[in-house]
């Protein structure tokens, strides 16, 4: 992925933006709490810095979600600390953002492929697929902090499944 595909979103005044970090530990057994927490973090689209250390660009929504997860971890008998921090360099921040954008790119490419496959389906099945893929796009958008070019391609491919967006010869 080129460097241009990850927007440089610096904080006001030109400095690095703030990130919310969660440092956590959970007991190995039972494994259910660890799996539950990891799935929630994955749905948020976190960048995993190392085992037990994740990061998200800081805003009110991400901070609130991370605070909730930290409380949940402590409720499971684990430890959790929430930090607000800035990467030590622009290059480090860019690597974090690029990794997050690459993860979303893979998800968008998967949606695009599914939409392209659905083009040959019968109308009722294509409409069901359209609803499912639009819901999937909404889920991806919620964790897409650095939108890659693949986002637009996925949206275009999904929208093309709608009868009003299809070429006239396909609608006949």
């Amino acid at each position: 992925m080129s460097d241009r595909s990850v927007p440089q979103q610096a904080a006001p005044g030109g400095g690095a933006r703030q990130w919310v970090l969660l440092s956590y530990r959970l007991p190995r057994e039972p494994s259910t709490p660890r799996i539950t927490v990891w799935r929630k973090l994955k749905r948020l689209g976190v960048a995993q810095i190392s085992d037990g250390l994740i990061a998200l660009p800081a805003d009110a929504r991400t901070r609130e979600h991370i605070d909730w997860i930290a409380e949940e971890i402590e409720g499971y008998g684990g430890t959790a600390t929430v930090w607000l921090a800035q990467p030590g360099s622009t290059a480090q921040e860019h690597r974090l953002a690029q990794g997050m954008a690459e993860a979303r790119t893979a998800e968008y490419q998967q949606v695009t492929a599914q939409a392209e496959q659905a083009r040959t389906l019968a109308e009722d099945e294509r409409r069901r697929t359209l609803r499912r893929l639009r819901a999937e796009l909404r889920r991806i958008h919620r964790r897409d902090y650095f939108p890659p070019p693949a986002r637009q391609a996925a949206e275009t491919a999904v929208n093309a499944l709608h009868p009003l967006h299809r070429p006239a010869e396909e609608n006949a």
Side-chain angles (χ1 to χ4, degrees):
M1 177 186 292
S2 74
D3 288 348
R4 285 175 274 141
S5 63
V6 178
Q8 296 297 318
Q9 297 181 358
R17 71 181 301 157
Q18 275 203 319
W19 290 69
V20 59
L21 279 65
L22 172 64
S23 174
Y24 69 99
R25 291 185 62 114
L26 275 164
R28 290 221 178 264
E29 294 297 327
S31 62
T32 303
R34 291 166 50 91
I35 293 167
T36 300
V37 167
W38 179 242
R39 285 181 179 159
K40 287 180 180 186
L41 292 172
K42 189 174 179 182
R43 273 195 303 271
L44 286 175
V46 301
Q48 185 165 1
I49 297 173
S50 65
D51 285 344
L53 182 61
I54 59 90
L56 283 174
D59 64 23
R61 183 180 76 87
T62 57
R63 174 70 193 266
E64 184 174 41
H65 283 289
I66 294 299
D67 284 342
W68 287 340
I69 291 172
E71 287 177 18
E72 189 171 351
I73 289 167
E74 290 172 348
Y76 288 136
T79 59
T81 306
V82 177
W83 300 81
L84 291 177
Q86 294 177 339
S89 71
T90 304
Q92 289 171 342
E93 182 173 27
H94 186 75
R95 280 193 301 274
L96 268 177
Q98 187 170 2
M100 294 172 81
E102 287 171 357
R104 299 303 77 80
T105 294
E107 293 174 342
Y108 285 128
Q109 288 171 340
Q110 201 170 33
V111 168
T112 300
Q114 291 174 26
E116 289 171 357
Q117 289 174 349
R119 292 172 59 170
T120 61
L121 297 174
E123 187 68 28
D124 60 334
E125 185 63 29
R126 191 170 49 247
R127 284 179 191 257
R128 280 193 294 274
T129 302
L130 173 63
R131 282 192 300 275
R132 181 179 57 78
L133 291 177
R134 281 185 172 164
E136 180 62 18
L137 280 176
R138 284 190 301 274
R139 284 188 291 274
I140 297 169
H141 287 172
R142 284 193 293 268
R143 61 182 171 264
D144 188 1
Y145 303 96
F146 304 97
R151 178 180 181 156
Q152 182 62 44
E155 290 170 350
T156 300
V158 169
N159 288 335
L161 294 176
H162 192 283
L164 297 177
H165 290 109
R166 298 186 47 205
E169 63 273 6
E170 286 185 28
N171 286 328

